[in-house]
Amino acid sequence: MSHISLLTSINSTGHIHLIIGSNPLAAARCAKSLEVGAKPLLIAPETTELHYALQKRIDNGEVEWLKKPFEDEDVLRLGREEINGVVDAVFVTFGPRDPLSAYISQLCRRNRIPVNVSDASSLCTFSLLSTHTDGPLQIGVTTNGRGCKLSSRIRREIASCLPPNLGAACARLGTIRQRIQEEDHLTHMALSGDLDDEDSIDQTSTFNKLVTEADLDAAKNRRIRWLSQICEYWPLRRLANITDADVESVLKLSASNPSTSTTLDTTNHDSRTEMKGRIILAGSGPGHPDLLTRATHKAILTADIILADKLVPSGVLDLIPRRTPVHIARKFPGNAELAQEELLSLGLAGLKAGKSVLRLKQGDPYIYGRGGEEFEFFRREGYGDVVSVLPGITSALSAPLFAGIPATQRGVSDQVLICTGTGRKGKPTVPPEYVDTRTVIFLMALHRITGLVADLTSWESEDAKVLDGSGEVDRSRRLWKKETPCAVVERASCPDQRVIRTTLEFVAAAIEEEGSRPPGLLVLGKACEVLNKPDNGRKWVVEEGFKGFDDFEGTGLQELVLGGKEERSDVIGRGGSYGRDLKV
């Protein structure tokens, strides 16, 4: 049976750490020594090429470089004066194959000096843990030399499960613990008669009551036991959000009602946390409900209020429980800003009422979804700490896929550019120049497709014309060729999806003849013809319908998460009316 390590926490403030080597690991060891308050001494010959991070710390005066080879007496004379010059720890960064590593290890062992040799657990008397640090909270993981990468992975997994602000809570609880100990010590002295109160005139009714040792112990330990109960039984997320007001109320309760000090009811604390308002900015994907993320689907089922964009498809809205109030954005030409302000006002009102508000957007909230603007708005209103953002599958990347267009393809397209065809307040944007190996996706552009084609294929178009210093038209921008393949993809992933395959020359005429079916986007570039060769002699080809999930019939999001249709008939499924709470 192999022995395990004794894990300890060492106060290294003021210690002398000897780092031997000049590689990136030596830089990391110096950084760790500085982090814990120790003084790192670097030993490396003057001719050695130092890692840039080491050189920077030396130049800043953080690390002292002893420009010489290692000598035996270094470990016995470079340390602190109070321990006769012996160094506190030695870090060897050469690795196990260097003979000097084994030699230094044996030297340190003989002198009982802690030594660490990189990638050589047999030469080490101690090892550094993979550590998560949050204020006074430190969590360390070791595999005892079996794999530092695995230690890092486990540490990251553990840290990801911890609530935010837990380190600050540890600091607050530590201060409380110290305060309790100091106050209880004074109380103990008062009860035992060790404190003189010269200003006291009247005596209390219990002045002559016999004070037993049990009374002293009970008074001394009551609140510290209560604090222990809090640390043990409160949910970590509630503990991480503990406030000074919580502390005062708990201390008063424990002092006035000692009989409750052995149990703890956290119901009120949990409900208060849950009742705190929050807002979720979530993307609903391109259209098909099976393309929702599980996180967004959960948010739909649990929200108190849902504020949805106008273009969120009915298949997604059908998932909203009937009991949930829904407001659909009243966005139409000329009213977009007022509709946006209305949504923000409704969201703010919900937050102030302690509600869970879901701001449901099409696609991804941060890809032309104004999600960043809304985050800033709620942060300015003081709710930045309760805003969550959930990603969605953006149509900019999924619509080309559903149309059989690989946005990138070796030898054809090595870059993707996502643009908007309409800027702020409806103004056109600067068109991108032609790049032979680029695929460009235009969102919100089909309503001005004629102007967009003119912007891309000419310098003199009214919206894209740029004048140089002499007043002449700037012709430096590379124009797009009119024969460039393109595709219009409308209502991607919805049953009525439509794809129009054509070229830049005929795309405006195709949309005018076939009509518009929003929301839609334009894909431009040679990638449009990689998997779908052009039909010679035809200006455009129209493809109707979406059959992308036919092979997965019966295993969609609703069936997988909620069970069969019979089970969820009363939970979701607004049908055509979306229920009485729907407000448009």
Side-chain angles (χ1 to χ4, degrees):
M1 176 181 175
S2 59
H3 296 289
I4 59 175
S5 300
L6 175 64
L7 301 183
T8 61
S9 175
I10 301 174
N11 183 356
S12 298
T13 304
H15 285 195
I16 302 295
H17 290 172
L18 206 61
I19 289 88
I20 304 172
S22 59
N23 52 22
L25 180 59
R29 294 290 188 253
C30 286
K32 179 61 68 175
S33 293
L34 292 168
E35 182 182 345
V36 300
K39 178 183 178 181
L41 297 180
L42 180 70
I43 293 184
E46 187 173 5
T47 56
T48 301
E49 183 178 353
L50 297 180
H51 185 262
Y52 70 90
L54 268 178
Q55 188 65 61
K56 183 178 180 181
R57 292 192 180 276
I58 292 170
D59 294 341
N60 292 339
E62 298 175 293
V63 176
E64 182 180 351
W65 178 18
L66 305 180
K67 302 176 182 180
K68 67 183 194 64
F70 173 79
E71 299 174 357
D72 291 7
E73 55 268 24
D74 290 339
V75 300
L76 301 174
R77 65 178 179 83
L78 296 176
R80 294 176 289 154
E81 183 178 350
E82 57 266 34
I83 54 175
N84 298 322
V86 179
V87 297
D88 294 284
V90 175
F91 296 90
V92 183
T93 64
F94 297 141
R97 296 185 179 181
D98 194 309
L100 190 56
S101 297
Y103 178 80
I104 296 176
S105 173
Q106 294 174 3
L107 174 66
C108 291
R109 287 171 186 265
R110 284 197 304 269
N111 291 279
R112 303 184 66 182
I113 299 172
V115 60
N116 175 273
V117 180
S118 64
D119 295 327
S121 57
S122 61
L123 300 180
C124 300
T125 60
F126 77 97
S127 60
L128 297 181
L129 308 187
S130 179
T131 309
H132 166 73
T133 303
D134 180 9
L137 173 64
Q138 286 186 288
I139 299 174
V141 177
T142 179
T143 57
N144 287 292
R146 271 67 171 184
C148 60
K149 295 294 184 183
L150 181 58
S151 297
S152 298
R153 166 73 188 281
I154 296 171
R155 182 256 305 163
R156 291 196 303 271
E157 292 288 337
I158 294 173
S160 67
C161 297
L162 299 176
N165 305 320
L166 192 57
C170 291
R172 177 175 280 109
L173 291 169
T175 302
I176 296 167
R177 184 173 184 272
Q178 183 178 3
R179 171 185 158 186
I180 290 174
Q181 289 175 333
E182 293 174 352
E183 292 179 358
D184 285 351
H185 177 66
L186 293 175
T187 302
H188 182 278
M189 294 180 66
L191 288 173
S192 61
D194 292 339
L195 284 181
D196 294 329
D197 191 354
E198 297 179 356
D199 294 332
S200 178
I201 299 175
D202 297 326
Q203 297 176 355
T204 65
S205 60
T206 59
F207 179 75
N208 289 319
K209 182 181 177 181
L210 178 64
V211 179
T212 66
E213 192 66 28
D215 293 330
L216 294 175
D217 290 339
K220 181 179 180 181
N221 297 324
R222 181 181 303 143
R223 293 197 299 173
I224 204 72
R225 288 203 308 270
W226 183 253
L227 181 62
S228 298
Q229 294 283 307
I230 292 175
C231 294
E232 182 67 29
Y233 294 111
W234 275 22
L236 274 184
R237 291 194 179 277
R238 178 68 189 92
L239 200 62
N241 292 318
I242 192 170
T243 64
D244 292 333
D246 295 330
V247 171
E248 291 299 329
S249 62
V250 166
L251 292 179
K252 289 178 181 177
L253 177 63
S254 64
S256 61
N257 188 9
S259 63
T260 64
S261 62
T262 57
T263 60
L264 181 65
D265 181 9
T266 62
T267 304
N268 293 335
H269 298 292
D270 288 341
S271 62
R272 182 168 58 183
T273 301
E274 293 172 2
M275 286 299 294
K276 186 177 182 180
R278 65 169 180 165
I279 186 160
I280 301 171
L281 311 178
S284 63
H288 199 290
D290 282 3
L291 297 176
L292 284 172
T293 65
R294 292 181 63 185
T296 296
H297 182 246
K298 182 179 179 181
I300 289 174
L301 297 181
T302 58
D304 297 320
I305 304 168
I306 294 181
L307 309 175
D309 278 346
K310 182 180 70 174
L311 295 178
V312 173
S314 59
V316 173
L317 295 176
D318 284 346
L319 298 174
I320 301 174
R322 289 183 179 274
R323 65 182 180 273
T324 306
V326 181
H327 182 92
I328 307 295
R330 290 193 277 253
K331 291 189 177 181
F332 53 84
N335 190 56
E337 291 304 320
L338 290 177
Q340 180 70 9
E341 291 175 6
E342 182 182 29
L343 288 178
L344 293 176
S345 298
L346 291 171
L348 189 59
L351 282 173
K352 292 179 178 179
K355 303 293 185 181
S356 176
V357 182
L358 174 60
R359 180 69 178 90
L360 192 60
K361 298 173 173 293
Q362 190 191 27
D364 183 274
Y366 280 1
I367 303 295
Y368 296 114
R370 301 186 71 168
E373 297 176 34
E374 296 185 15
F375 189 103
E376 284 186 327
F377 171 82
F378 291 112
R379 183 167 59 184
R380 285 196 305 269
E381 295 294 331
Y383 292 95
D385 60 331
V386 295
V387 182
S388 301
V389 184
L390 300 179
I393 299 177
T394 174
S395 61
L397 299 179
S398 58
L401 181 146
F402 293 132
I405 301 172
T408 63
Q409 177 86 358
R410 286 196 300 174
V412 178
S413 174
D414 57 14
Q415 53 187 276
V416 180
L417 178 64
I418 303 175
C419 301
T420 177
T422 306
R424 298 188 64 179
K425 298 182 178 181
K427 294 181 179 180
T429 57
V430 178
E433 68 174 357
Y434 173 76
V435 177
D436 186 61
T437 58
R438 174 184 289 172
T439 301
V440 183
I441 293 99
F442 287 95
L443 305 177
M444 299 174 288
L446 299 185
H447 66 285
R448 59 171 301 266
I449 188 65
T450 302
L452 178 62
V453 172
D455 295 345
L456 294 169
T457 58
S458 68
W459 294 295
E460 289 84 5
S461 68
E462 190 63 31
D463 295 329
K465 182 165 57 176
V466 177
L467 302 180
D468 58 22
S470 60
E472 298 294 326
V473 175
D474 184 358
R475 299 175 180 270
S476 60
R477 174 171 57 93
R478 295 185 66 190
L479 300 179
W480 288 80
K481 302 173 183 177
K482 289 189 176 182
E483 59 268 24
T484 302
C486 66
V488 175
V489 187
E490 298 170 297
R491 299 189 60 77
S493 78
C494 294
D496 56 345
Q497 171 181 300
R498 182 174 68 179
V499 180
I500 303 176
R501 304 185 192 277
T502 181
T503 62
L504 203 54
E505 181 179 3
F506 301 112
V507 64
I511 292 176
E512 182 177 356
E513 182 171 325
E514 301 294 339
S516 177
R517 192 179 295 177
L521 54 79
L522 175 69
V523 186
L524 182 61
K526 293 181 179 179
C528 293
E529 292 184 349
V530 169
L531 302 181
N532 296 272
K533 302 303 179 185
D535 189 348
N536 293 330
R538 302 182 63 181
K539 295 180 179 179
W540 63 80
V541 175
V542 179
E543 299 172 2
E544 292 277 358
F546 175 72
K547 301 179 178 62
F549 297 136
D550 284 356
D551 294 337
F552 302 99
E553 188 67 33
T555 59
L557 179 94
Q558 299 177 14
E559 286 75 17
L560 286 173
V561 179
L562 301 175
K565 293 183 179 179
E566 294 78 7
E567 296 180 36
R568 55 187 170 84
S569 59
D570 294 330
V571 180
I572 62 171
R574 290 177 174 270
S577 66
Y578 305 126
R580 291 180 298 174
D581 292 328
L582 183 64
K583 300 175 183 178
V584 181

